[in-house]
Amino acid sequence: RIPHPPEMQHWGLNTYLYGPKDDLKHRLLWREVYSPEEEGQLRTLVTEARSRGVTFVYALSPGQDIVFSSACDLTLLKRKLKQVSDLGCEAFAILFDDIDHSMCQADSEAFSSFAHAQVSVANEIYRFLGEPSVFLFCPTEYCGSLCSPCVSKSSYLQTLGADLQPNISVIWTGSKVISRTLSVDCLEEVGSVLQRPPLIWDNLHANDYDSRRLFLGPFKGREPQLRRHLRGLLLNPNCEFEANYIPLHTLGTWHRTPPGGEGGDDEPEYCPDSALSEALRDWMDELNQPLQPGDATADVIADTPDRADRPPAQAKPLPMFPLSSGSPPTSPAKGGENGSEGEAKRPPGEGLKHKAQGRVPCGGKGLLSEAQVRLLVGLHYLPHEHGPAAQRLLQDLTWLKSNCHLVSLNGKKTAQQKVEEWRGRASRLMALCEDIAELHCSVVGGVNRAVLYDLYPYVWDLRNTALVAKAFVCWLGCGTTTGAELLGVDSEPWVFKGGVSGEVQMLLPIGSSTELFTHPPPLFPTSRLYNVRPYHSKDKLHLRTQGGKDSNSTHPDVTGDRCLGACLALCPEYSFVLEDELGVCGCVTGVQDVRAFIKRCHATWMPAMRDKYPGPRTGPSALPAHTQGEYPDSLLHHFPSQLRLDALPQLVDASVSRTLLTALLAALKANGSQGVFCEVQPTDRQRMEFLTKLGFLEILRGEARSREGVVLGRLL
């Protein structure tokens, strides 16, 4: 299908390059012609593009296994492109990106170099197709970092410049595969070697190299005067169509801005922040319109590959600069927003109820506010740059970790001013995390379902990571850390995969445990608002009266005492609760040092329970399991900590339970634990599967001990 919003007519985007790597006949099976059904789909796509004034460029990538000297392969290549030409296509591209430089023996005997082999085929195909006005060539050295030894001295590029037909445009991505900026000097350098201006294939917004990243920021780092040194510019967008409104809108603004010196003193210069604000205003109207996936589109191609049917043969263009939706020539990746601040010094754990009271219920198809959309964009900005809210989130988390000694109960006495500074920054971070949670709810509850389906995995992922970060900071604020494992991994921003989510993850003590953070989103999104926080003493009554079938009127606390009582009484600092808009709905408890905990249980907890439950020990006689001293030293040596899942909730979105458990593991790791175990009944398959997905492995089974449970453990 080809989307055709009216706004595209004003953006000046006039070219769509079809080059999806998930179309097997584009790359892997390039020799095979399209079936009659596929022909019909492509013909319709070409026709629709032409009807809207869009140049449809068909790209083929034969470089992985073509034998350049083979007359048979050349015939098959011509046959394939002739088939597409007969469908009405008049523009073509041949791509030799991301392939091995080595040649087979036959090619080595026929050609003096790899470049000569590619040039020979490209020139032959160009003449065979009648020397079309648009014919693109993607070289194997398609950016400065891939040139050997450098751009100006690359014999490969020099051969292209000397021997490739002059009207063939050469694709270039800049100094890098994903270039932060494009400069006139760099373009002049490569243009001099190629003996023609390059055609930029811009990967600024391409996100197919990292499944956790999305780029909603403006077109940036490319001054309008670059156009004098280019044959065109192809923007390779996000895989998700709905994510590309701002990138394409701001690209159009960039194109309409006169190059410096041409528009006179009164002509405005291109400003990415201003372009973003303009695009945001227009996007707001679309975000809050009821729209299902596929609405407002012409049903041109059904069942086409994901990238093939996505963007941009969507414009009735004005001028000249092209737009691309094909897969990028990328190798393995190297790859203005003002979110709501929230209240200053909000008590930990109070934000959920505070915000829920004045909020439109998320399940009720509400509207996204401008502040929320700005927050969304700022958290998913650009590959080399975060928006203000994301920067603040990372800076505050880094500072709070490094200065947690200011609020530690075990540290030296600290000036009250420093303590207030720590708690103020903690409140700011927690307020931002709550805004992220509300953003998730609003996206799920929004009227535009097409946006939901495309953006949900990213918003959901960041919501979960923010929940863990918020719970961890709240835990630090309780002053129970020893600072054993707080430093994490020291790195520059945007080094780790995952964008903001990945960087927040790496700032946590368990950040290297990817399996705790990367899971597919649930099939049924829920707009319920959740919060994870450390356990408070006021939660005890509620948790310990969840008696189930074991509760009775005589001893209503018996189940809570047996399952959670010892942990909550002796080491409450390793207990975390999950709450929704209705209150506490789940809990996970932990023990940092099982050996010491058992001694304390025998010394204080068990006598107190005997006094509380006199007579026959029908209630807490078996409480708790870890007081019985049945865990061997070999287990406790490697896994000194324990967690209990007795109050883990059953939720549609299992990621919330995973987030709750991850918060506990972060606290245990922060205070020096090297491993944790959990005992599960062998019949509890759901819980066994849940823990296994989080990296727990079976260590002991009931037959090896006196108890029936299975012990699963994982290193931290």
Side-chain angles (χ1 to χ4, degrees), residues 30-189:
W30 64 268
R31 295 178 177 86
E32 296 187 14
V33 296
Y34 290 106
S35 67
E37 180 182 3
E38 293 166 337
E39 272 191 341
Q41 294 172 343
L42 272 175
R43 180 183 290 109
T44 309
L45 182 57
V46 172
T47 302
E48 283 291 327
R50 184 185 299 113
S51 71
R52 299 175 192 179
V54 173
T55 299
F56 179 91
V57 182
Y58 178 82
L60 202 62
S61 296
Q64 284 188 326
D65 61 356
I66 188 174
V67 178
F68 293 96
S69 59
S70 168
C72 178
D73 269 2
L74 191 59
T75 299
L76 292 175
L77 185 57
K78 291 178 179 179
R79 181 184 69 164
K80 180 66 166 285
L81 295 176
K82 177 67 164 55
Q83 180 190 30
V84 178
S85 177
D86 291 342
L87 301 178
C89 181
E90 299 175 343
F92 299 88
I94 187 165
L95 311 180
F96 292 115
D97 57 297
D98 302 335
I99 60 175
D100 190 356
H101 282 71
S102 62
M103 293 189 292
C104 65
Q105 183 174 351
D107 286 344
S108 298
E109 294 173 354
F111 301 104
S112 58
S113 71
F114 194 48
H116 283 97
Q118 292 181 356
V119 166
S120 174
V121 169
N123 286 339
E124 176 70 17
I125 294 299
Y126 176 66
R127 289 189 290 265
F128 170 76
L129 292 171
E131 299 187 0
S133 59
V134 177
F135 190 90
L136 314 182
F137 176 94
C138 182
T140 306
E141 294 182 5
Y142 55 78
C143 67
S145 61
L146 295 179
C147 292
S148 178
C150 63
V151 173
S152 61
K153 297 180 181 179
S154 167
S155 60
Y156 174 88
L157 294 184
Q158 290 169 358
T159 300
L160 298 187
D163 296 343
L164 199 64
Q165 287 290 319
N167 289 330
I168 296 177
S169 297
V170 179
I171 289 171
W172 188 252
T173 67
S175 59
K176 304 284 186 182
V177 176
I178 304 168
S179 297
R180 181 168 188 166
T181 60
L182 296 175
S183 69
V184 170
D185 290 343
C186 290
L187 295 182
E188 287 182 336
E189 180 184 32

Side-chain angles (χ1 to χ4, degrees), residues 12 27 86 89 185 200 205 227 245 270 349 383 436 455 522 557 640:
R27 192 176 184 93
D86 291 342
C89 181
D185 290 343
I200 291 297
H205 291 89
R227 297 205 299 269
Y245 191 96
Y270 177 74
I436 293 171
L455 303 190
D557 294 347

Side-chain angles (χ1 to χ4, degrees), residues 218-465:
F219 191 70
K220 189 174 183 180
R222 291 97 172 101
E223 296 300 325
Q225 56 263 36
L226 292 178
R227 297 205 299 269
R228 299 195 192 99
H229 307 273
L230 301 176
R231 282 193 176 177
L233 186 146
L234 297 164
L235 179 63
N236 190 17
N238 295 280
C239 296
E240 296 77 14
F241 171 68
E242 296 294 340
N244 292 310
Y245 191 96
I246 289 174
L248 302 187
H249 190 294
T250 55
L251 172 64
T253 303
W254 176 85
H255 171 61
R256 294 192 304 274
T257 303
E262 290 185 2
D265 295 337
D266 296 333
E267 289 290 347
E269 295 184 356
Y270 177 74
C271 173
D273 290 339
S274 299
L276 172 61
S277 295
E278 181 183 348
L280 275 171
R281 287 193 297 270
D282 292 344
W283 197 30
M284 284 290 298
D285 295 336
E286 186 164 309
L287 286 174
N288 290 321
Q289 292 295 323
L291 182 67
Q292 296 293 332
D295 285 1
T297 63
D299 294 327
V300 176
I301 292 187
D303 302 323
T304 53
D306 181 65
R307 273 184 168 267
D309 70 343
R310 288 293 183 174
Q314 32 185 330
K316 288 187 178 177
L318 296 179
M320 59 174 268
F321 269 63
L323 160 72
S324 166
S325 165
S327 296
T330 54
S331 52
K334 295 178 183 179
E337 143 304 312
N338 290 299
S340 168
E341 288 282 350
E343 299 75 22
K345 302 185 181 179
R346 184 181 304 155
E350 293 299 316
L352 182 71
K353 295 178 182 178
H354 174 88
K355 292 215 166 190
Q357 290 172 357
R359 189 173 60 83
V360 176
C362 288
K365 300 292 185 285
L367 301 180
L368 282 163
S369 69
E370 182 177 349
Q372 286 182 317
V373 178
R374 285 186 174 274
L375 178 63
L376 174 68
V377 173
L379 294 170
H380 304 87
Y381 200 64
L382 290 171
H384 305 92
E385 180 181 358
H386 295 311
Q391 293 179 37
R392 190 166 62 247
L393 176 66
L394 294 169
Q395 290 168 358
D396 281 347
L397 182 55
T398 301
W399 187 90
L400 290 166
K401 264 190 13 170
S402 301
N403 293 277
C404 65
H405 61 277
L406 298 175
V407 292
S408 174
L409 299 179
N410 301 321
K412 298 179 181 179
K413 188 173 181 179
T414 307
Q416 187 62 27
Q417 183 180 359
K418 290 290 187 181
V419 174
E420 289 298 319
E421 180 185 4
W422 194 97
R423 298 204 178 280
R425 294 186 72 158
S427 294
R428 185 173 74 173
L429 179 140
M430 288 188 281
L432 179 55
C433 290
E434 289 169 7
D435 290 338
I436 293 171
E438 287 199 21
L439 172 64
H440 169 269
C441 291
S442 296
V443 170
V444 173
V447 296
N448 192 320
R449 312 313 282 171
V451 169
L452 164 64
Y453 295 143
D454 274 357
L455 303 190
Y456 177 70
Y458 302 95
V459 177
W460 170 85
D461 179 37
L462 185 56
R463 186 280 306 262
N464 290 343
T465 308

Side-chain angles (χ1 to χ4, degrees), residues 570-606:
L570 302 180
C571 49
E573 66 271 22
Y574 297 111
S575 298
F576 288 82
V577 299
L578 175 71
E579 58 183 355
D580 60 15
E581 289 124 323
L582 301 178
V584 174
C585 58
C587 175
V588 61
T589 60
V591 176
Q592 173 76 7
D593 185 341
V594 172
R595 288 191 182 98
F597 177 76
I598 290 175
K599 292 179 181 179
R600 293 181 64 194
C601 276
H602 284 295
T604 61
W605 174 252
M606 294 301 290

Side-chain angles (χ1 to χ4, degrees), residues 502-671:
E503 291 177 41
V504 171
Q505 171 188 328
M506 294 307 297
L507 287 171
L508 298 172
I510 51 171
S512 59
S513 300
T514 306
E515 67 277 4
L516 296 174
F517 295 90
T518 54
H519 287 265
L523 295 176
F524 305 100
T526 174
S527 61
R528 186 173 293 276
L529 191 63
Y530 289 105
N531 183 43
V532 176
R533 60 168 173 79
Y535 162 78
H536 297 159
S537 58
K538 64 183 179 181
D539 301 319
K540 185 178 297 185
L541 179 61
H542 178 76
L543 289 170
R544 292 173 61 190
T545 56
Q546 295 178 352
K549 64 182 181 180
D550 294 325
S551 63
N552 57 71
S553 57
T554 306
H555 298 296
D557 294 347
V558 64
T559 301
D561 282 337
R562 182 165 64 239
C563 296
L564 305 176
C567 293
L568 297 179
L570 302 180
C571 49
E573 66 271 22
Y574 297 111
S575 298
F576 288 82
V577 299
L578 175 71
E579 58 183 355
D580 60 15
E581 289 124 323
L582 301 178
V584 174
C585 58
C587 175
V588 61
T589 60
V591 176
Q592 173 76 7
D593 185 341
V594 172
R595 288 191 182 98
F597 177 76
I598 290 175
K599 292 179 181 179
R600 293 181 64 194
C601 276
H602 284 295
T604 61
W605 174 252
M606 294 301 290
M609 290 300 98
R610 293 189 187 100
D611 293 339
K612 185 174 182 178
Y613 301 101
R617 298 176 188 173
T618 57
S621 59
L623 62 80
H626 40 236
T627 64
Q628 305 303 317
E630 296 173 356
Y631 300 119
D633 289 340
S634 58
L635 169 68
L636 299 180
H637 176 74
H638 296 287
F639 306 94
S641 303
Q642 183 180 21
L643 60 87
R644 295 186 65 87
L645 307 178
D646 302 271
L648 196 67
Q650 299 294 324
L651 303 169
V652 173
D653 185 355
S655 70
V656 180
S657 298
R658 186 182 76 239
T659 299
L660 177 63
L661 183 60
T662 302
L664 170 60
L665 297 181
L668 292 172
K669 174 71 172 178
N671 276 350

